[in-house]
PDB file of all heavy atoms in Angstrom:
ATOM      1  N   PRO F1576      25.119 206.419  50.806  1.00 98.00           N
ATOM      2  CA  PRO F1576      24.769 207.819  51.367  1.00 98.00           C
ATOM      3  C   PRO F1576      24.033 208.587  50.293  1.00 98.00           C
ATOM      4  O   PRO F1576      24.453 208.839  49.169  1.00 98.00           O
ATOM      5  CB  PRO F1576      26.220 208.338  51.532  1.00 98.00           C
ATOM      6  CG  PRO F1576      27.196 207.172  51.580  1.00 98.00           C
ATOM      7  CD  PRO F1576      26.600 206.137  50.718  1.00 98.00           C
ATOM      8  N   GLY F1577      22.817 208.875  50.714  1.00 98.00           N
ATOM      9  CA  GLY F1577      21.864 209.556  49.762  1.00 98.00           C
ATOM     10  C   GLY F1577      22.450 210.758  49.108  1.00 98.00           C
ATOM     11  O   GLY F1577      22.336 210.974  47.879  1.00 98.00           O
ATOM     12  N   ALA F1578      23.137 211.598  49.787  1.00 98.00           N
ATOM     13  CA  ALA F1578      23.617 212.882  49.224  1.00 98.00           C
ATOM     14  C   ALA F1578      24.718 212.506  48.129  1.00 98.00           C
ATOM     15  O   ALA F1578      24.795 213.188  47.086  1.00 98.00           O
ATOM     16  CB  ALA F1578      24.296 213.738  50.236  1.00 98.00           C
ATOM     17  N   LEU F1579      25.565 211.519  48.301  1.00 98.00           N
ATOM     18  CA  LEU F1579      26.562 211.165  47.413  1.00 98.00           C
ATOM     19  C   LEU F1579      25.914 210.595  46.198  1.00 98.00           C
ATOM     20  O   LEU F1579      26.317 211.029  45.071  1.00 98.00           O
ATOM     21  CB  LEU F1579      27.469 210.053  48.007  1.00 98.00           C
ATOM     22  CG  LEU F1579      28.408 209.368  47.041  1.00 98.00           C
ATOM     23  CD1 LEU F1579      29.521 210.374  46.610  1.00 98.00           C
ATOM     24  CD2 LEU F1579      29.156 208.116  47.693  1.00 98.00           C
ATOM     25  N   LEU F1580      24.880 209.742  46.258  1.00 98.00           N
ATOM     26  CA  LEU F1580      24.223 209.162  45.135  1.00 98.00           C
ATOM     27  C   LEU F1580      23.568 210.357  44.314  1.00 98.00           C
ATOM     28  O   LEU F1580      23.623 210.317  43.017  1.00 98.00           O
ATOM     29  CB  LEU F1580      23.212 208.083  45.521  1.00 98.00           C
ATOM     30  CG  LEU F1580      23.782 206.966  46.440  1.00 98.00           C
ATOM     31  CD1 LEU F1580      22.747 205.927  46.650  1.00 98.00           C
ATOM     32  CD2 LEU F1580      25.012 206.396  45.873  1.00 98.00           C
ATOM     33  N   GLN F1581      22.926 211.218  44.979  1.00 98.00           N
ATOM     34  CA  GLN F1581      22.177 212.297  44.301  1.00 98.00           C
ATOM     35  C   GLN F1581      23.196 213.169  43.594  1.00 98.00           C
ATOM     36  O   GLN F1581      22.935 213.637  42.438  1.00 98.00           O
ATOM     37  CB  GLN F1581      21.426 213.043  45.268  1.00 98.00           C
ATOM     38  CG  GLN F1581      20.166 212.323  45.768  1.00 98.00           C
ATOM     39  CD  GLN F1581      19.485 213.015  46.971  1.00 98.00           C
ATOM     40  OE1 GLN F1581      20.014 214.011  47.553  1.00 98.00           O
ATOM     41  NE2 GLN F1581      18.206 212.619  47.269  1.00 98.00           N
ATOM     42  N   SER F1582      24.395 213.406  44.169  1.00 97.00           N
ATOM     43  CA  SER F1582      25.353 214.211  43.423  1.00 97.00           C
ATOM     44  C   SER F1582      25.875 213.527  42.262  1.00 97.00           C
ATOM     45  O   SER F1582      26.404 214.244  41.365  1.00 97.00           O
ATOM     46  CB  SER F1582      26.538 214.448  44.433  1.00 97.00           C
ATOM     47  OG  SER F1582      27.341 213.385  44.634  1.00 97.00           O
ATOM     48  N   MET F1583      25.716 212.338  42.153  1.00 97.00           N
ATOM     49  CA  MET F1583      26.132 211.524  40.892  1.00 97.00           C
ATOM     50  C   MET F1583      24.995 211.330  39.963  1.00 97.00           C
ATOM     51  O   MET F1583      25.162 210.691  38.894  1.00 97.00           O
ATOM     52  CB  MET F1583      26.706 210.123  41.339  1.00 97.00           C
ATOM     53  CG  MET F1583      27.936 210.259  42.209  1.00 97.00           C
ATOM     54  SD  MET F1583      29.319 210.873  41.376  1.00 97.00           S
ATOM     55  CE  MET F1583      30.483 211.115  42.784  1.00 97.00           C
ATOM     56  N   GLY F1584      23.799 211.831  40.288  1.00 97.00           N
ATOM     57  CA  GLY F1584      22.647 211.630  39.475  1.00 97.00           C
ATOM     58  C   GLY F1584      22.061 210.302  39.487  1.00 97.00           C
ATOM     59  O   GLY F1584      21.352 209.890  38.543  1.00 97.00           O
ATOM     60  N   LEU F1585      22.322 209.549  40.516  1.00 98.00           N
ATOM     61  CA  LEU F1585      21.837 208.189  40.655  1.00 98.00           C
ATOM     62  C   LEU F1585      20.537 208.177  41.521  1.00 98.00           C
ATOM     63  O   LEU F1585      20.432 208.890  42.537  1.00 98.00           O
ATOM     64  CB  LEU F1585      22.878 207.322  41.391  1.00 98.00           C
ATOM     65  CG  LEU F1585      24.147 207.009  40.532  1.00 98.00           C
ATOM     66  CD1 LEU F1585      25.230 206.309  41.399  1.00 98.00           C
ATOM     67  CD2 LEU F1585      23.823 206.195  39.356  1.00 98.00           C
ATOM     68  N   PRO F1586      19.496 207.397  41.119  1.00 96.00           N
ATOM     69  CA  PRO F1586      18.331 207.281  41.944  1.00 96.00           C
ATOM     70  C   PRO F1586      18.680 206.566  43.268  1.00 96.00           C
ATOM     71  O   PRO F1586      19.351 205.647  43.264  1.00 96.00           O
ATOM     72  CB  PRO F1586      17.406 206.479  41.077  1.00 96.00           C
ATOM     73  CG  PRO F1586      18.260 205.695  40.129  1.00 96.00           C
ATOM     74  CD  PRO F1586      19.420 206.649  39.893  1.00 96.00           C
ATOM     75  N   VAL F1587      18.081 207.042  44.339  1.00 98.00           N
ATOM     76  CA  VAL F1587      18.300 206.431  45.653  1.00 98.00           C
ATOM     77  C   VAL F1587      17.336 205.412  45.951  1.00 98.00           C
ATOM     78  O   VAL F1587      16.137 205.664  46.078  1.00 98.00           O
ATOM     79  CB  VAL F1587      18.326 207.525  46.759  1.00 98.00           C
ATOM     80  CG1 VAL F1587      18.570 206.922  48.138  1.00 98.00           C
ATOM     81  CG2 VAL F1587      19.333 208.612  46.448  1.00 98.00           C
ATOM     82  N   VAL F1588      17.799 204.124  45.953  1.00 98.00           N
ATOM     83  CA  VAL F1588      16.888 203.064  46.377  1.00 98.00           C
ATOM     84  C   VAL F1588      16.809 202.932  47.845  1.00 98.00           C
ATOM     85  O   VAL F1588      15.701 202.674  48.443  1.00 98.00           O
ATOM     86  CB  VAL F1588      17.446 201.715  45.760  1.00 98.00           C
ATOM     87  CG1 VAL F1588      16.576 200.516  46.256  1.00 98.00           C
ATOM     88  CG2 VAL F1588      17.467 201.755  44.200  1.00 98.00           C
ATOM     89  N   LEU F1589      17.927 203.168  48.561  1.00 98.00           N
ATOM     90  CA  LEU F1589      18.001 203.126  50.004  1.00 98.00           C
ATOM     91  C   LEU F1589      19.153 204.046  50.521  1.00 98.00           C
ATOM     92  O   LEU F1589      20.248 203.862  50.053  1.00 98.00           O
ATOM     93  CB  LEU F1589      18.213 201.668  50.522  1.00 98.00           C
ATOM     94  CG  LEU F1589      18.351 201.635  52.033  1.00 98.00           C
ATOM     95  CD1 LEU F1589      17.004 201.775  52.731  1.00 98.00           C
ATOM     96  CD2 LEU F1589      18.883 200.187  52.395  1.00 98.00           C
ATOM     97  N   ASP F1590      18.736 205.022  51.318  1.00 98.00           N
ATOM     98  CA  ASP F1590      19.735 205.956  51.893  1.00 98.00           C
ATOM     99  C   ASP F1590      20.414 205.141  52.981  1.00 98.00           C
ATOM    100  O   ASP F1590      19.861 204.970  54.059  1.00 98.00           O
ATOM    101  CB  ASP F1590      19.103 207.166  52.366  1.00 98.00           C
ATOM    102  CG  ASP F1590      20.104 208.215  52.881  1.00 98.00           C
ATOM    103  OD1 ASP F1590      21.233 207.934  52.874  1.00 98.00           O
ATOM    104  OD2 ASP F1590      19.652 209.335  53.354  1.00 98.00           O
ATOM    105  N   ALA F1591      21.653 204.680  52.740  1.00 98.00           N
ATOM    106  CA  ALA F1591      22.360 203.863  53.754  1.00 98.00           C
ATOM    107  C   ALA F1591      23.760 204.531  53.931  1.00 98.00           C
ATOM    108  O   ALA F1591      24.689 204.218  53.222  1.00 98.00           O
ATOM    109  CB  ALA F1591      22.521 202.491  53.269  1.00 98.00           C
ATOM    110  N   PRO F1592      23.874 205.449  54.933  1.00 98.00           N
ATOM    111  CA  PRO F1592      25.101 206.169  55.122  1.00 98.00           C
ATOM    112  C   PRO F1592      26.346 205.349  55.320  1.00 98.00           C
ATOM    113  O   PRO F1592      27.464 205.741  55.018  1.00 98.00           O
ATOM    114  CB  PRO F1592      24.846 207.189  56.271  1.00 98.00           C
ATOM    115  CG  PRO F1592      23.305 207.253  56.309  1.00 98.00           C
ATOM    116  CD  PRO F1592      22.838 205.857  55.857  1.00 98.00           C
ATOM    117  N   GLY F1593      26.172 204.135  55.910  1.00 98.00           N
ATOM    118  CA  GLY F1593      27.285 203.334  56.268  1.00 98.00           C
ATOM    119  C   GLY F1593      27.952 202.630  55.039  1.00 98.00           C
ATOM    120  O   GLY F1593      29.097 202.215  55.204  1.00 98.00           O
ATOM    121  N   VAL F1594      27.338 202.595  53.902  1.00 98.00           N
ATOM    122  CA  VAL F1594      27.945 201.903  52.786  1.00 98.00           C
ATOM    123  C   VAL F1594      29.191 202.710  52.265  1.00 98.00           C
ATOM    124  O   VAL F1594      29.085 203.875  51.938  1.00 98.00           O
ATOM    125  CB  VAL F1594      26.914 201.782  51.616  1.00 98.00           C
ATOM    126  CG1 VAL F1594      27.657 201.158  50.369  1.00 98.00           C
ATOM    127  CG2 VAL F1594      25.735 200.915  52.085  1.00 98.00           C
ATOM    128  N   GLY F1595      30.268 201.994  52.336  1.00 98.00           N
ATOM    129  CA  GLY F1595      31.580 202.587  51.965  1.00 98.00           C
ATOM    130  C   GLY F1595      32.312 203.270  53.074  1.00 98.00           C
ATOM    131  O   GLY F1595      33.522 203.583  52.890  1.00 98.00           O
ATOM    132  N   GLY F1596      31.736 203.367  54.246  1.00 98.00           N
ATOM    133  CA  GLY F1596      32.416 203.938  55.431  1.00 98.00           C
ATOM    134  C   GLY F1596      33.159 202.846  56.195  1.00 98.00           C
ATOM    135  O   GLY F1596      33.145 201.605  55.781  1.00 98.00           O
ATOM    136  N   ASN F1597      33.783 203.166  57.322  1.00 98.00           N
ATOM    137  CA  ASN F1597      34.355 202.179  58.170  1.00 98.00           C
ATOM    138  C   ASN F1597      35.486 201.471  57.561  1.00 98.00           C
ATOM    139  O   ASN F1597      35.825 200.368  57.989  1.00 98.00           O
ATOM    140  CB  ASN F1597      33.234 201.224  58.669  1.00 98.00           C
ATOM    141  CG  ASN F1597      33.726 200.418  59.858  1.00 98.00           C
ATOM    142  OD1 ASN F1597      34.292 200.799  60.783  1.00 98.00           O
ATOM    143  ND2 ASN F1597      33.512 199.054  59.784  1.00 98.00           N
ATOM    144  N   LEU F1598      36.073 201.960  56.506  1.00 98.00           N
ATOM    145  CA  LEU F1598      37.334 201.328  55.929  1.00 98.00           C
ATOM    146  C   LEU F1598      38.398 201.242  56.912  1.00 98.00           C
ATOM    147  O   LEU F1598      38.829 202.229  57.437  1.00 98.00           O
ATOM    148  CB  LEU F1598      37.711 202.064  54.674  1.00 98.00           C
ATOM    149  CG  LEU F1598      39.009 201.580  53.952  1.00 98.00           C
ATOM    150  CD1 LEU F1598      38.821 200.177  53.521  1.00 98.00           C
ATOM    151  CD2 LEU F1598      39.449 202.502  52.780  1.00 98.00           C
ATOM    152  N   GLN F1599      38.917 199.996  57.111  1.00 98.00           N
ATOM    153  CA  GLN F1599      40.063 199.730  57.921  1.00 98.00           C
ATOM    154  C   GLN F1599      41.152 198.960  57.192  1.00 98.00           C
ATOM    155  O   GLN F1599      40.792 198.184  56.245  1.00 98.00           O
ATOM    156  CB  GLN F1599      39.650 198.904  59.139  1.00 98.00           C
ATOM    157  CG  GLN F1599      38.627 199.598  60.055  1.00 98.00           C
ATOM    158  CD  GLN F1599      37.829 198.580  60.899  1.00 98.00           C
ATOM    159  OE1 GLN F1599      38.385 197.858  61.677  1.00 98.00           O
ATOM    160  NE2 GLN F1599      36.515 198.552  60.696  1.00 98.00           N
ATOM    161  N   ASP F1600      42.364 199.188  57.444  1.00 98.00           N
ATOM    162  CA  ASP F1600      43.485 198.481  56.757  1.00 98.00           C
ATOM    163  C   ASP F1600      44.693 198.510  57.705  1.00 98.00           C
ATOM    164  O   ASP F1600      44.769 199.312  58.638  1.00 98.00           O
ATOM    165  CB  ASP F1600      43.825 199.195  55.478  1.00 98.00           C
ATOM    166  CG  ASP F1600      44.754 198.403  54.606  1.00 98.00           C
ATOM    167  OD1 ASP F1600      44.973 197.280  54.861  1.00 98.00           O
ATOM    168  OD2 ASP F1600      45.309 199.050  53.639  1.00 98.00           O
ATOM    169  N   HIS F1601      45.608 197.581  57.473  1.00 98.00           N
ATOM    170  CA  HIS F1601      46.846 197.502  58.215  1.00 98.00           C
ATOM    171  C   HIS F1601      47.936 198.369  57.469  1.00 98.00           C
ATOM    172  O   HIS F1601      48.245 198.034  56.405  1.00 98.00           O
ATOM    173  CB  HIS F1601      47.311 196.054  58.372  1.00 98.00           C
ATOM    174  CG  HIS F1601      46.413 195.342  59.297  1.00 98.00           C
ATOM    175  ND1 HIS F1601      46.072 193.966  59.085  1.00 98.00           N
ATOM    176  CD2 HIS F1601      45.805 195.631  60.457  1.00 98.00           C
ATOM    177  CE1 HIS F1601      45.305 193.495  60.061  1.00 98.00           C
ATOM    178  NE2 HIS F1601      45.122 194.443  60.894  1.00 98.00           N
ATOM    179  N   LEU F1602      48.544 199.320  58.220  1.00 98.00           N
ATOM    180  CA  LEU F1602      49.592 200.097  57.657  1.00 98.00           C
ATOM    181  C   LEU F1602      50.944 199.351  58.030  1.00 98.00           C
ATOM    182  O   LEU F1602      51.280 199.198  59.131  1.00 98.00           O
ATOM    183  CB  LEU F1602      49.630 201.491  58.201  1.00 98.00           C
ATOM    184  CG  LEU F1602      50.719 202.395  57.642  1.00 98.00           C
ATOM    185  CD1 LEU F1602      50.460 202.746  56.231  1.00 98.00           C
ATOM    186  CD2 LEU F1602      50.805 203.690  58.448  1.00 98.00           C
ATOM    187  N   GLN F1603      51.705 199.023  56.961  1.00 97.00           N
ATOM    188  CA  GLN F1603      52.971 198.269  57.176  1.00 97.00           C
ATOM    189  C   GLN F1603      54.154 199.286  57.210  1.00 97.00           C
ATOM    190  O   GLN F1603      54.350 200.060  56.316  1.00 97.00           O
ATOM    191  CB  GLN F1603      53.171 197.337  55.999  1.00 97.00           C
ATOM    192  CG  GLN F1603      54.459 196.577  56.086  1.00 97.00           C
ATOM    193  CD  GLN F1603      54.545 195.551  54.921  1.00 97.00           C
ATOM    194  OE1 GLN F1603      54.766 194.390  55.157  1.00 97.00           O
ATOM    195  NE2 GLN F1603      54.312 196.036  53.720  1.00 97.00           N
TER     196      GLN F1603
END
Side-chain angles (χ1 to χ4, degrees):
L1579 171 67
L1580 306 185
Q1581 289 170 347
S1582 73
M1583 299 290 168
L1585 292 168
V1587 179
V1588 176
L1589 178 70
D1590 184 359
V1594 173
N1597 193 48
L1598 173 62
Q1599 299 158 59
D1600 191 14
H1601 290 142
L1602 181 71
Q1603 179 176 232

